[in-house]
Amino acid sequence: MADLDAVVIGAGFAGIYAVHALRSSGLRVRAFEAGGGIGGTWFWNRYPGARCDVESKDYSFSFSPELEQEWSWSERYPAQPEILRYLGHVADRFGLWPDIQLNTRVTRAAWREDAAEWAVTTDDGAVVSARFLISAVGCLSAYQVPSLPGLDQFAGPWYHTARWPAEGVDFTAKRVGLIGTGSTGIQIAPEIAAVAEQLTVFQRTPNFAVPNRNRPWEPEDERAFKSRYRQYRKEARESFLGVPITGTGRPVLDEPPEEVQRTFAERWRAGGGMPFLGAYTDLLTDQAANDVIAEFMRDRIKEIVHDPATAELLCPRTFPVGSKRLCQSDDYYAMYNRPNVRLVDLRSTPLHSVSAGGLSTATAFYELDALVFATGFDAISGALAQIDVRGASGVALAGRWAAGPRAYLGLATPGFPNMFIVTGPGSPSVLSNMALSIEQHVEWIAGCIGYLDAHGYATAEATAAAEDAWMAHVTEVAYSTLFPKADSWYIGANIPGKPRVFTTYVGGVGPYGEKCDQVAAAGYEGFALDGPLAAK
Ligand code: FAD
Ligand code: NAP
């Protein structure tokens, strides 16, 4: 008999809930977490300004009505420390700590065909066996530092935002260089600018950012909202992005231009990315429609940033709005009006090297005391790729995914029986409210394991035909939108040599959930179920 029913890799939102859900089904579970605490994204990304871009009422667990009533969020968009406290509270409240082993990295997981179990090796040399392997390693947890010649010669400290020191960093009176202007760079930049002697932002591609309009969550609003939380959660599950959004329901190209301006201006005043992109039905499918919203946003940048040359450099022109994660900040563009902030355009003068005193581009040298990388992640497949996962006949997952990560419903892949991936490739994951997508996946996985046990099956394995059909559908839907037009991490473009494959399901959280439910109702259609073990 295996040591455990399930090993969970990771203890972020996904791992925490997987431990709770599987344990509640009576399974013996252990989560291994590489970090010294739980929280995943919110444990590692402690950089100043780190904040969720989904509202707190949405970016939270819905599985316990008691939890959602008793926890009180202080702000519309929660900051990193508050989310981390929340996840700690969840672990306390549901007594999860005994089943989470911190400071332990899973290095290898191998399927033992004869015993129908996984052998999981950790970096302390221990091996544990389990019937099921649940990957909760995170879509955005394998951070990447670009290989810059001379970085090891740099005299000052350098940091990646996804490994920010828990004790914080004091940039007072320092000349700081920041590389990266994605969601992270845009959040951290104004915080550094507020204290540093000088901030130099090295920008390769400008990004679109909408205001947050963050504000405290007033107790009366909270009380009123919480009285209909259950109904709201249901609407969220049926929605497109995992957040109920009210759009006009019309294409922007059919709307009178002054009405369009009024609608966008209203949403700009209200803040938030999802309501902005959800304003019209064609913004993410028709380039001409997208041009309308892009022009509106570039006009706002030019309005905010005083220096016309800087404003122009900050105006994105190479990808459709929303085809990269729409950034959110109340202060980013205005920060460029500060005298201690300068912008370096890496398109006209690419990064060259680092030396003891600073950073050189092709045409200039910048003296720096500290360097910050907000350069992103080997997304979706990166963290799993760091584990030597071996399926049936010793086949390596890395090899199976050499042409790009793929999975049936984003949940399971052929040749890897009894392995489930939370928010894996082929699921809505990173293009949704991830807290909700994670819950839906974990519940589906727990349901599947319950079904196997109830019907005497030992194993479930996605079939190649089901995976092929699903990934073909994922691709077809993606290419009916503007998403693949961007050189984004969604398509692997940020990692040199990574295959360019768009692996996120953009058909909507609601329709995706329905499909998962249909598969389950049909006795896990698309999976080969085998067993009982004794009969093998
Ligand atoms: P993670 O939180 O990434 O947790 C995975 C855990 O697995 C990590 O703790 C890691 O240490 C551990 N791990 C990985 N490999 C191993 C191994 N081999 N052995 C042991 N442990 C391992 N999503 C939104 O919906 N809205 C947002 O506003 C939002 N903001 C974000 C901001 C930042 C800065 C980042 C980086 C991501 C953001 N995301 C956001 C996405 C976010 O990652 C998800 O919302 C969610 O937190 C993911 O949870 P997870 O448990 O799946 O993964
Ligand atoms: P990212 O979106 O991948 O941005 C990385 C940035 O680094 C880009 O500007 C990129 O430029 C730049 N870069 C990478 N390598 C470089 C190099 N070699 N030279 C110069 N520039 C380089 O990463 P991220 O900002 O960490 O965000 C990742 C995702 O995490 C987001 O899309 C979002 O889903 C999530 N997130 C959300 C929030 C939030 O608001 N709640 C905050 C942070 C992160 P190019 O664009 O030219 O490649």
Side-chain angles (χ1 to χ4, degrees):
M1 181 166 134
D3 301 328
L4 295 164
D5 293 310
V7 158
V8 175
I9 316 176
F13 255 93
I16 290 170
Y17 186 41
V19 168
H20 176 65
L22 297 178
R23 224 177 52 176
S24 304
S25 313
L27 302 181
R28 296 163 303 138
V29 187
R30 190 178 311 155
F32 293 108
E33 167 54 57
I38 63 165
T41 288
W42 307 103
F43 171 82
W44 295 112
N45 293 263
R46 293 162 188 257
Y47 61 84
R51 187 178 290 285
C52 195
D53 64 4
V54 173
E55 292 192 36
S56 48
K57 64 186 184 343
D58 298 291
Y59 194 75
S60 49
F61 287 121
S62 69
F63 67 85
S64 161
E66 296 77 23
L67 171 68
E68 74 188 3
Q69 288 298 325
E70 67 196 26
W71 180 265
S72 213
W73 293 102
S74 66
E75 292 178 282
R76 178 185 187 189
Y77 292 106
Q80 172 271 329
E82 190 169 21
I83 303 174
L84 193 58
R85 272 200 306 281
Y86 169 74
L87 292 172
H89 169 75
V90 172
D92 289 344
R93 193 188 188 288
F94 296 98
L96 306 181
W97 294 105
D99 296 315
I100 300 175
Q101 187 171 322
L102 300 176
N103 297 307
T104 311
R105 178 172 288 279
V106 171
T107 54
R108 184 178 159 87
W111 176 248
R112 288 179 184 152
E113 221 135 1
D114 49 346
E117 64 188 28
W118 284 92
V120 180
T121 310
T122 48
D123 58 359
D124 53 4
V127 181
V128 66
S129 61
R131 292 166 56 215
F132 297 96
L133 180 68
I134 316 293
S135 167
V137 296
C139 296
L140 292 161
S141 66
Y143 68 102
Q144 67 134 358
V145 179
S147 54
L148 260 182
L151 183 57
D152 55 340
Q153 309 292 312
F154 187 54
W158 65 265
Y159 310 91
H160 190 286
T161 46
R163 285 296 177 277
W164 204 258
E167 65 279 13
V169 178
D170 185 5
F171 288 124
T172 310
K174 297 274 194 303
R175 295 161 304 175
V176 183
L178 169 66
I179 302 177
T181 50
S183 301
T184 301
I186 280 175
Q187 285 188 332
I188 195 174
E191 304 288 329
I192 300 175
V195 294
E197 179 184 313
Q198 183 171 52
L199 171 66
T200 308
V201 179
F202 296 91
Q203 170 189 277
R204 192 164 65 182
T205 314
N207 246 310
F208 292 102
V210 296
N212 265 328
R213 311 294 182 206
N214 194 29
R215 54 177 181 266
W217 208 19
E218 301 299 344
E220 317 83 76
D221 295 345
E222 184 183 346
R223 263 193 303 278
F225 176 80
K226 280 184 170 176
S227 67
R228 61 176 296 269
Y229 222 149
R230 291 286 84 198
Q231 175 58 25
Y232 183 84
R233 296 286 200 188
K234 184 171 172 300
E235 288 163 20
R237 285 234 173 175
E238 290 164 358
S239 71
F240 202 77
L241 294 168
V243 175
I245 301 286
T246 312
T248 60
R250 295 185 295 276
V252 74
L253 294 176
D254 289 357
E255 194 90 324
E258 52 297 346
E259 189 55 30
V260 170
Q261 291 302 311
R262 206 181 55 76
T263 301
F264 285 152
E266 250 171 34
R267 287 176 190 237
W268 184 269
R269 268 195 303 277
M274 289 182 174
F276 214 88
L277 287 173
Y280 291 101
T281 54
D282 50 354
L283 295 176
L284 288 168
T285 51
D286 184 329
Q287 185 60 58
N290 197 275
D291 290 343
V292 178
I293 190 173
E295 207 45 44
F296 174 87
M297 297 188 77
R298 286 191 285 261
D299 286 347
R300 300 290 77 69
I301 297 170
K302 290 176 197 162
E303 230 167 52
I304 299 169
V305 179
H306 300 160
D307 173 45
T310 305
E312 186 49 41
L313 281 180
L314 288 167
C315 283
R317 295 189 184 277
T318 54
F319 59 94
V321 180
S323 61
K324 291 186 175 190
R325 182 88 173 193
L326 189 53
C327 303
Q328 289 185 206
S329 171
D330 288 328
D331 320 306
Y332 179 66
Y333 294 125
M335 174 196 81
Y336 287 97
N337 296 330
R338 297 177 65 107
N340 68 333
V341 176
R342 61 183 169 179
L343 181 63
V344 175
D345 171 28
L346 297 179
R347 294 277 169 193
S348 57
T349 172
L351 282 181
H352 179 266
S353 58
V354 182
S355 55
L359 198 154
S360 297
T361 64
T363 54
F365 174 70
Y366 297 88
E367 278 185 57
L368 300 172
D369 303 310
L371 194 48
V372 174
F373 291 93
T375 44
F377 302 85
D378 182 354
I380 303 183
S381 56
L384 253 183
Q386 290 174 3
I387 305 172
D388 183 13
V389 183
R390 302 280 167 160
S393 312
V395 169
L397 183 65
R400 260 215 94 241
W401 282 3
R406 48 196 286 113
Y408 176 40
L409 299 174
L411 279 159
T413 193
F416 295 79
N418 286 7
M419 174 174 132
F420 296 103
I421 309 166
V422 183
T423 60
S427 71
S429 69
V430 288
L431 282 168
S432 68
N433 163 13
M434 284 203 69
L436 182 147
S437 287
I438 284 167
E439 269 195 313
Q440 184 260 340
H441 260 194
V442 168
E443 285 162 12
W444 190 95
I445 293 166
C448 180
I449 294 175
Y451 181 90
L452 297 180
D453 286 349
H455 292 80
Y457 291 113
T459 60
E461 180 182 344
T463 66
E467 185 186 77
D468 288 349
W470 179 251
M471 290 312 288
H473 175 58
V474 169
T475 307
E476 188 190 344
V477 177
Y479 281 86
S480 69
T481 70
L482 301 175
F483 281 103
K485 283 191 152 193
D487 281 338
S488 67
W489 59 259
Y490 294 141
I491 203 163
N494 64 328
I495 302 295
K498 194 169 177 178
R500 281 180 73 108
V501 188
F502 196 94
T503 54
T504 302
Y505 184 57
V506 294
V509 165
Y512 171 80
E514 268 177 38
K515 168 74 182 170
C516 291
D517 291 346
Q518 284 162 11
V519 165
Y524 295 88
E525 192 178 25
F527 284 83
L529 308 184
D530 196 12
L533 185 57
K536 290 186 88 180

